[in-house]
Amino acid sequence: DAYLYYVDETTVTVTGDGTAILENDYMPVVPVITVTEETTLRWAVDGESFHKTISAGTWEIPELELRHGENTVSITSEGTTTFKYREGRL
């Protein structure tokens, strides 16, 4: 019952271009993403690749579903990108 273990929110922040490694437990979760500048995100889920450009603000992208283990998101931005989620929590 992974959803019982995590009460603290996980926060991962990347400034500028880079890669975010988002660790997750067994239950899938969709992170809340906050960006300060227009940002392009690239990731893959179950062999399917995604590419999304978002403007400054706070977003939830249903396609960016974190699975068990390491989830990698490539970031192209001149600003700051922050991911917030509770591991193993729907």
Side-chain angles (χ1 to χ4, degrees):
D1 295 348
Y3 68 94
L4 296 175
Y5 300 143
Y6 298 100
V7 293
D8 294 328
E9 197 168 53
T10 298
T11 301
V12 176
T13 302
V14 175
T15 301
D17 296 342
T19 302
I21 305 295
L22 307 174
E23 296 278 344
N24 191 38
D25 210 336
Y26 290 98
M27 294 182 75
V29 65
V30 175
V32 173
I33 306 162
T34 302
V35 297
T36 60
E37 299 285 335
E38 183 174 286
T39 301
T40 300
L41 305 173
R42 290 180 175 82
W43 70 96
V45 176
D46 293 335
E48 186 174 354
S49 295
F50 294 89
H51 166 143
K52 189 96 162 165
T53 299
I54 55 178
S55 58
T58 300
W59 300 87
E60 284 187 60
I61 304 170
E63 297 86 7
L64 181 51
E65 181 180 285
L66 304 181
R67 302 295 177 98
H68 174 69
E70 285 188 0
N71 298 268
T72 304
V73 180
S74 175
I75 301 164
T76 303
S77 177
E78 293 184 10
T80 300
T81 305
T82 303
F83 298 87
K84 291 185 178 183
Y85 60 98
R86 281 193 221 179
E87 292 183 39
R89 194 80 180 234
L90 292 174

